[in-house]
């Protein structure tokens, strides 16, 4: 519905995580990215449910992003909340200004978003990693969802 979203999981050094071989107490960075097909102004909400064996340590915003230079520019969040079983964030995207149809300027590129937070594997076991969801808070038909995955967390040493 005019929106794309991906969820990737990385080591703190910027390497992809093998979800079949996570160990207890491993810390990982979850990155949620996406792009809109138009440049309309929207107020978006992200809901990323966690597998039972993960817990959120902190959102990566502002100066925290300097610890992870491989992340690049992150979207400015209007709200961020790390809960027991989910990460929730909100942000604005798009432009409130819309040029007249006969304007000589080319249309701006479609806007994108890039959000990250740190999780820790806490409990050994095999779990379903739920899909992440992003949607326009005031037009819920504008949404995107990631695929579900599995994660295996081995006992720590």
């Amino acid at each position: 519905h005019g929106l794309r979203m991906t969820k990737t999981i990385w080591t703190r050094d910027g390497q992809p995580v093998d979800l079949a071989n996570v160990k207890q107490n491993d810390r990982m960075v979850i990155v949620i990215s996406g792009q809109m097909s138009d440049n309309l102004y929207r107020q978006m909400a992200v809901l990323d449910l966690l597998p039972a064996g993960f817990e959120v340590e902190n959102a990566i915003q502002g100066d925290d992003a300097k610890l992870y230079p491989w992340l690049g520019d992150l979207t400015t969040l209007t709200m961020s909340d790390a809960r027991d079983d989910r990460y929730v964030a909100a942000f604005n995207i798009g432009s409130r200004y819309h040029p007249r149809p006969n304007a000589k300027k080319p249309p701006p590129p479609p806007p994108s978003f890039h959000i990250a937070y740190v999780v820790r594997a806490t409990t050994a076991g095999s779990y379903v990693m739920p899909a992440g969801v992003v949607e326009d808070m005031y037009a819920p038909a504008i949404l995107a969802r990631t695929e579900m995955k599995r994660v295996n967390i081995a006992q720590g040493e």
Side-chain angles (χ1 to χ4, degrees):
H1 298 292
L3 191 58
R4 287 187 312 197
M5 175 185 182
T6 60
K7 177 167 77 171
T8 53
I9 302 161
W10 306 88
T11 66
R12 292 184 305 155
D13 296 330
Q15 301 301 314
V17 169
D18 176 7
L19 291 176
N21 294 308
V22 174
K23 291 187 175 49
Q24 240 177 343
N25 292 318
D26 282 355
R27 293 173 65 203
M28 296 154 280
V29 177
I30 295 183
V31 177
I32 298 171
S33 300
Q35 186 173 37
M36 291 182 41
S37 61
D38 60 38
N39 196 28
L40 296 177
Y41 178 78
R42 299 195 182 278
Q43 295 175 321
M44 306 299 287
V46 170
L47 171 64
D48 193 24
L49 300 174
L50 298 175
F54 281 10
E55 74 177 32
V56 178
E57 283 207 341
N58 63 301
I60 302 173
Q61 299 181 61
D63 287 341
D64 295 339
K66 292 178 183 175
L67 297 172
Y68 309 97
W70 53 269
L71 275 175
D73 292 333
L74 296 175
T75 299
T76 301
L77 302 177
T78 57
M79 182 281 264
S80 174
D81 190 15
R83 300 183 183 173
D84 288 342
D85 63 345
R86 67 194 69 204
Y87 175 74
V88 180
F91 60 93
N92 299 325
I93 194 169
S95 173
R96 292 179 191 232
Y97 170 74
H98 299 288
R100 295 188 317 238
N102 60 356
K104 304 228 187 246
K105 285 184 172 180
S112 60
F113 59 92
H114 196 63
I115 298 168
Y117 64 99
V118 177
V119 297
R120 180 186 298 270
T122 58
T123 309
S126 180
Y127 305 101
V128 171
M129 177 168 287
V133 177
V134 61
E135 72 179 14
D136 184 322
M137 290 189 277
Y138 301 102
I142 307 297
L143 72 105
R145 182 171 299 149
T146 64
E147 66 183 354
M148 294 174 57
K149 298 180 181 180
R150 291 206 62 83
V151 59
N152 292 312
I153 302 172
Q155 197 76 21
E157 295 175 3

